[in-house]
């Protein structure tokens, strides 16, 4: 079945914590994608401004002047290469930058042949007395230090320094705003633009793993934090302007105001981070990159379904199949679901993915008309986020109508967590599904919170014994006791019992003796594609 025939966003997701996480991760990914382009913009800014610099006659001052710009270029190149890895485009850009840099150095040396090569003792004193040059070097070394801290995985310290770097040009803007021509610590135009873009590129690359990223949170806490920061900014700038108006050391005022703004950002974000105002989980960088691949896989139709048969213990007939998703990665081959389902649930990608699985499975099963498959049920796993979605029931009904599958042949499988932390909306959706005729199964029972109240209250039809218990029977007394209790409890509540993960004859005989109704596992059949399943059914029919 073609994935393109499915509306991936057919299910509208409620505004909840998980959905906010999804939107936040999408936003953070979009910010990270801009990191290499910001790095390239920083390099271009340096190259465009470099020819217009007036170099002094002293060799030491030339080195000091050039050192900051060289640092911006090196850090920007490193940021670009780490983001784009070893792509052909990144290699071309790197080679071009090196050639351009060498050519500009050659031109500068050619125009300044009279430079005094001897470094005088007064050179460093001149550097210290040159406010603009000293501030440029300070910005460059802060960028270099932030890059080193990022490399050794000290992300919070790195981003704190980068926030300081980004705030440094504010000093010059405030001086212009206050009408102060010779304020201390004003950056040159090249450092302001090139250094700002370089710091922004590094900040974008590691935006997902620091307390400073809490400024970007999309929930009420994030908005509250941003409002407070903006108000404090306006107050600090206003107070600084009043100080200039009353002639209170005006040259130092922009520096004091800039330091105040830096302190406001740092204190507010770190306070929010440490007090735990925000409860949203942020993916680590490696998982964030993996989530980006997962989102691209959805867009590029890289998923397919396999089906594992479910057998009646007493008659040996095929009664149903469980639809399981697989990811055909273009580089890594088949990726098992335990590698990507967790990230999909955290980011919210489980919603469009689950919508596709439901429709693809129903369409495939409705198309089977031969032998045992003509009446087989199909079990589809549904996440708690899908269950709590506003239009989930309507979407299921729409899928059944479009595919022509009888409602009684669809089994929705839900884990314990879907009930233990369920909202009223989820129970309403379950009741609505039951009225339509859809069957409900509780999956992985006994491995979560094992709250017995929902077994009594929900309108379930099947109870699945988790494979973690099946693996230890027969032979382990405690596992036997738990498994027996689950079967007896389910039977007394009028559930049909499904044993999953059965791999040996001993397990099958033991579970059959307990009274399990259905079984699935490698002993009978592994998950297989739709065509392989049809061939398997034909082989079974010919063997009878």
């Amino acid at each position: 079945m073609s994935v393109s025939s499915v509306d991936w966003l057919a299910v509208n997701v409620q505004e909840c914590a998980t959905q906010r996480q999804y939107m936040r991760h999408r936003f953070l990914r979009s910010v990270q994608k801009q990191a290499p382009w910001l790095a390239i913009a920083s390099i271009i800014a340096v190259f465009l401004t470099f020819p217009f610099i007036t170099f002094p006659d002293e060799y030491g001052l030339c080195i000091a002047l050039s050192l900051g710009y060289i640092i911006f270029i090196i850090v920007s190149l490193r940021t670009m290469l780490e983001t784009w890895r070893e792509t052909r485009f990144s290699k071309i850009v790197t080679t071009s930058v090196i050639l351009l840099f060498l050519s500009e150095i050659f031109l500068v040396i050619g125009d300044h042949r009279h430079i005094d090569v001897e470094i005088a003792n007064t050179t460093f004193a001149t550097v210290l007395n040159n406010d603009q040059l000293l501030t440029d070097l300070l910005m460059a070394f802060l960028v270099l230090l932030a890059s080193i801290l990022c490399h050794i995985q000290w992300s919070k310290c790195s981003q704190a320094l980068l926030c300081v770097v980004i705030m440094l040009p504010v000093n010059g803007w405030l001086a212009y705003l206050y009408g102060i021509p010779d304020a201390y610590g004003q950056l040159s135009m090249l450092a302001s633009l090139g250094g700002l873009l370089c710091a922004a590129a590094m900040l974008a690359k590691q935006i997902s793993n620091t307390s400073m990223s809490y400024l970007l949170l999309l929930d009420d806490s994030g908005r509250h934090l941003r409002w407070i920061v903006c108000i404090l900014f306006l107050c600090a700038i206003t107070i600084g302007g009043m100080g200039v108006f009353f002639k209170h050391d005006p040259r130092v005022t922009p520096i004091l105001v800039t330091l105040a703004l830096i302190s406001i950002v740092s204190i507010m974000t770190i306070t929010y981070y440490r007090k735990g105002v925000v409860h949203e989980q942020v993916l680590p960088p490696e998982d964030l990159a993996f989530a980006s691949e997962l989102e691209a896989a959805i867009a590029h139709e890289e998923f397919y379904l396999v089906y594992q048969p479910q057998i009646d213990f007493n008659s040996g007939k095929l009664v149903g199949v469980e639809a399981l998703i697989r990811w055909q990665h273009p580089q890594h081959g088949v990726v098992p679901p335990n590698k990507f389902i967790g990230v999909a649930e955290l980011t919210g990608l489980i919603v469009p993915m689950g919508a596709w699985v439901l429709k693809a499975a129903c369409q495939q099963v409705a198309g089977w008309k031969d032998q045992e498959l003509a009446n087989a049920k199909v079990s589809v796993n549904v996440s708690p986020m899908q269950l709590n979605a506003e239009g989930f029931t309507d979407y299921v009904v729409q899928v059944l109508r479009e595919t022509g599958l009888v409602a009684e042949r669809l089994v929705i499988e839900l884990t314990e967590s879907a009930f233990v932390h369920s909202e009223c909306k989820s129970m309403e959706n379950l009741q609505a599904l039951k009225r339509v005729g859809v069957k409900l199964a509780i999956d992985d029972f006994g491995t979560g919170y094992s709250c017995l109240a929902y077994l009594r209250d929900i309108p379930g039809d099947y109870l699945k014994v988790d494979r973690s218990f099946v693996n230890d029977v027969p032979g382990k007394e405690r596992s036997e006791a738990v498994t027996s209790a689950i079967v007896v409890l389910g039977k007394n509540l009028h559930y049909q019992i499904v044993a999953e993960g059965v791999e040996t004859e001993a397990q099958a005989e033991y579970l059959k003796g307990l009274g399990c109704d259905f079984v699935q596992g490698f002993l009978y059949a592994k998950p297989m594609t739709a065509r392989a399943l049809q061939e398997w059914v034909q082989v079974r029919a010919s063997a009878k």
Side-chain angles (χ1 to χ4, degrees), residues 178 233-243:
Y178 296 153
F233 267 36
L234 290 175
C235 291
I237 293 171
T238 303
I239 292 173
M242 292 173 62

Side-chain angles (χ1 to χ4, degrees), residues 314-380:
N314 296 315
S315 65
K317 293 183 178 179
L318 176 70
V319 293
V321 293
E322 182 179 3
L324 303 168
I325 191 171
R326 296 291 185 267
W327 179 7
Q328 183 65 48
H329 196 283
Q331 282 82 37
H332 306 301
V334 178
V335 181
N338 63 312
K339 298 291 186 181
F340 61 86
I341 290 297
V343 175
E345 288 179 342
L346 180 60
T347 58
L349 291 172
I350 195 68
V351 173
M353 188 183 298
W356 176 81
V357 171
L358 180 64
K359 187 167 185 178
C362 290
Q363 185 168 328
Q364 180 63 71
V365 174
W368 285 331
K369 304 296 184 183
D370 299 329
Q371 301 171 350
E372 294 175 305
L373 290 174
N375 298 313
K377 295 180 175 64
V378 59
S379 299
V380 177

Side-chain angles (χ1 to χ4, degrees), residues 187 202 317 417 452:
L187 295 164
M202 291 180 60
K317 293 183 178 179
S417 59
L452 302 180

Side-chain angles (χ1 to χ4, degrees), residues 4 16 57 63 68 83 102 116 131 186 287 291 302 312 360 363 369 381 395 423 435 487 522:
S4 59
C16 58
D57 291 335
I63 294 177
T83 307
L102 292 176
D116 185 5
D131 295 333
Q186 292 191 49
D287 284 349
E302 295 175 3
D312 189 310
Q363 185 168 328
K369 304 296 184 183
N381 291 281
Y395 180 72
E423 303 172 4
R435 287 193 295 269
V487 174
F522 285 4

Side-chain angles (χ1 to χ4, degrees), residues 11-16 18 351 382-393 414 417-419 421-430:
V11 180
N12 296 321
V13 183
Q14 249 183 344
E15 178 64 22
C16 58
T18 311
V351 173
V382 171
S383 72
M385 187 177 179
Q386 286 178 272
L387 183 63
N388 291 327
E390 184 69 33
F392 177 69
T393 304
L414 300 156
S417 59
F419 306 105
H421 297 297
S422 63
E423 303 172 4
C424 295
K425 190 65 184 178
S426 64
M427 298 305 294
E428 294 174 5
N429 284 340
L430 290 177

Side-chain angles (χ1 to χ4, degrees), residues 473-475 479-481 483-484 505-515:
V473 297
S479 295
E480 289 179 356
T483 305
S484 177
E505 290 287 353
Q507 292 172 348
E509 290 298 325
Y510 177 80
L511 293 166
K512 184 178 181 180
L514 288 180

Side-chain angles (χ1 to χ4, degrees), residues 392-448:
F392 177 69
T393 304
D394 295 335
Y395 180 72
V396 173
V397 174
Q398 177 187 340
V399 168
L400 293 173
R401 183 174 60 250
E402 291 179 356
T403 60
L405 184 69
V406 179
E408 287 74 14
R409 294 181 63 190
L410 175 62
V411 181
I412 297 294
E413 290 194 7
L414 300 156
T415 58
E416 288 182 274
S417 59
F419 306 105
V420 176
H421 297 297
S422 63
E423 303 172 4
C424 295
K425 190 65 184 178
S426 64
M427 298 305 294
E428 294 174 5
N429 284 340
L430 290 177
Q431 296 291 347
L433 289 172
K434 286 298 293 181
R435 287 193 295 269
V436 173
V438 175
K439 304 295 182 181
L440 301 176
I442 302 174
D443 195 12
D444 300 336
F445 180 74
T447 60

Side-chain angles (χ1 to χ4, degrees), residues 22 45 144 180 244 279 429 519:
Y22 177 39
L144 181 61
I180 304 172
V244 173
H279 301 286
N429 284 340
V519 61

